[in-house]
Amino acid sequence: MTVLCAPTKLDPPIASFLARHGQAAAQVSALPGDASARRYFRLTDTGLLLMDDRTDPVGFAAFLRLARHLSSLGLSAPRVVGVDPAVGLALIEDFGTATYGNLLTSGHDETELYELAIDALVHLHSQPTAIEVTVPAYDRPVLLEEVSRFSHWFVPAFRPDLDATVFDARFSRLWDTAFAPLDGQLNALVLRDFHIDNLMLLTDRQGVARCGLLDFQDGVRGAGEYDLMSLLQDARRDLAPGLEQAMLDRYLTAIPDRCGSKDEILHRYHLLAAQRHTRLAGQFLRLCKRDGKPGYLAFMPRVMRQMQTALAAANLYDITDFIDQTLPGWRDAGPAFSRMNT
């Protein structure tokens, strides 16, 4: 939500919505999209964005609900200043263009940004009322469904001669056993997309409120280590050497004891990392083949490396052995898939 495009010709529902909220004369420019159908437009010189989420009423309602909830916790989510749920349109606060991604590209201090994000997560995970909001459970059935995307999209792309359903039956049983340490861990509000493209530096605010939060409408109730891992094992970029460990130490030092021992937190961290990277290895291929969005294949080499590292760190040797035996050569498949995008 950071790069301006050319002024946009508005369709009638948007034009009518803006007129009803006193913005009929605003200059409106579309912002680049992502993997979802949700669209954003900047209203120049108004401090406002238009959010168009007409295809997902559930996600639209969740955004409004979670924006209010996160703000009540002392975190910075965009303020909603106008809304029409019937058509899925909202006017929200514009946090500007200082995303973590833009700042890092321009040479901003990496450690400073990540420390702020870690402090925001510690704040979120330390609030007993954080889970007092209506969100879905990120439980074992959901985790299993997600990891099966590897079976149904990566496997056919890598080994079209293999029966993906047969592969998935064994694959899912192994993961079902692996997820046991996550039972009973639905004790945190997980924002799901806690990474550099959805974090902003708000220099006019203080403390953890300086970390602006975007795209949290897919929030769930689950293990807090998911967002920690999403930040520190980003599919989009490599962190400076030693930074991941330094940020893990910062989190472990500050997080309340009720969240578990350091060993328990780290095991869940690596387990969820293995799940996420495995899911993304399938999901990026799904985005390419089903949704016509091949750009995500550029991240496949990194995701494949991260998947292997996380499987080892979580001691998921049975899963690794099964993939090695069934998909020989899979470890080196990332570069080939990334070239599909060229």
Side-chain angles (χ1 to χ4, degrees):
M1 302 197 330
T2 60
V3 180
L4 280 174
C5 301
T8 302
K9 183 176 181 179
L10 304 177
D11 62 28
I14 291 179
S16 176
F17 174 79
L18 291 178
R20 292 197 305 273
H21 289 84
Q23 299 295 335
Q27 180 180 340
V28 180
S29 300
L31 302 183
D34 56 15
S36 73
R38 191 179 312 109
R39 299 187 299 165
Y40 292 93
F41 303 84
R42 173 160 285 128
L43 279 59
T44 305
D45 298 327
T46 66
L48 297 174
L49 295 178
L50 171 70
M51 183 176 74
D52 177 359
D53 204 2
R54 284 175 276 183
T55 63
D56 182 14
V58 174
F60 183 81
F63 179 92
L64 301 178
R65 185 168 61 250
L66 285 168
R68 290 190 297 268
H69 183 64
L70 290 167
S71 296
S72 75
L73 297 173
L75 295 166
S76 290
R79 182 171 52 92
V80 179
V81 300
V83 62
D84 188 343
V87 292
L89 297 172
L91 283 175
I92 64 174
E93 182 180 9
D94 184 358
F95 280 163
T97 61
T99 66
Y100 272 33
N102 285 346
L103 292 169
L104 290 166
T105 299
S106 64
H108 196 98
D109 184 82
E110 184 182 27
T111 299
E112 177 191 342
L113 293 176
Y114 276 84
E115 285 180 345
L116 175 59
I118 289 294
D119 292 348
L121 273 184
V122 169
H123 180 86
L124 178 61
H125 297 165
S126 300
Q127 304 300 310
T129 59
I131 59 172
E132 294 180 4
V133 63
T134 301
V135 290
Y138 198 37
D139 53 15
R140 194 184 295 214
V142 179
L143 291 165
L144 286 170
E145 184 278 326
E146 289 184 344
V147 84
S148 283
R149 295 175 198 177
F150 182 87
S151 304
H152 297 302
W153 293 95
F154 182 94
V155 171
F158 183 71
R159 280 282 308 274
D161 59 311
L162 197 66
D163 189 325
T165 302
V166 173
F167 176 94
D168 188 58
R170 175 62 176 156
F171 196 57
S172 293
R173 286 196 297 272
L174 291 169
W175 277 103
D176 191 35
T177 299
F179 287 144
L182 299 176
D183 290 344
Q185 292 300 313
L186 303 179
N187 50 16
L189 176 59
V190 179
L191 304 185
R192 291 296 307 276
D193 289 317
F194 197 83
H195 56 70
I196 63 168
D197 290 338
N198 290 332
L199 299 175
M200 304 196 71
L201 180 62
L202 307 178
T203 56
D204 60 338
R205 305 189 185 188
Q206 300 297 317
V208 295
R210 296 175 68 241
C211 185
L213 306 176
L214 305 175
D215 288 355
F216 41 75
Q217 59 278 335
D218 294 324
V220 292
R221 185 164 47 87
E225 292 83 10
Y226 187 94
D227 281 343
L228 180 65
M229 168 275 303
S230 180
L231 174 69
L232 299 180
Q233 296 194 19
D234 196 333
R236 297 157 187 79
R237 68 184 304 270
D238 297 316
L239 274 63
L243 184 61
E244 179 184 3
Q245 187 58 55
M247 295 301 102
L248 282 173
D249 291 342
R250 186 180 184 91
Y251 180 88
L252 291 169
T253 299
I255 199 68
D257 291 341
R258 60 180 173 79
C259 294
S261 70
K262 291 184 178 181
D263 287 344
E264 290 170 335
I265 290 172
L266 286 174
H267 183 66
R268 291 193 295 266
Y269 173 84
H270 293 304
L271 174 57
L272 287 164
Q275 189 270 356
R276 178 181 172 88
H277 303 321
T278 302
R279 169 174 64 88
L280 290 181
Q283 186 161 314
F284 287 164
L285 285 161
R286 185 176 75 172
L287 284 166
C288 174
K289 294 178 176 294
R290 188 192 72 178
D291 303 331
K293 296 180 177 181
Y296 291 88
L297 295 181
F299 304 130
M300 284 293 284
R302 181 179 293 107
V303 164
M304 297 300 294
R305 293 194 303 269
Q306 290 172 323
M307 177 181 168
Q308 294 169 56
T309 300
L311 285 167
N315 299 320
L316 299 179
Y317 302 118
D318 288 347
I319 294 173
T320 304
D321 290 346
F322 172 69
I323 303 175
D324 285 341
Q325 294 164 13
T326 312
L327 304 175
W330 73 278
R331 294 173 181 267
D332 302 316
F337 282 126
S338 71
R339 288 192 290 271
M340 291 170 57
N341 184 37
T342 60

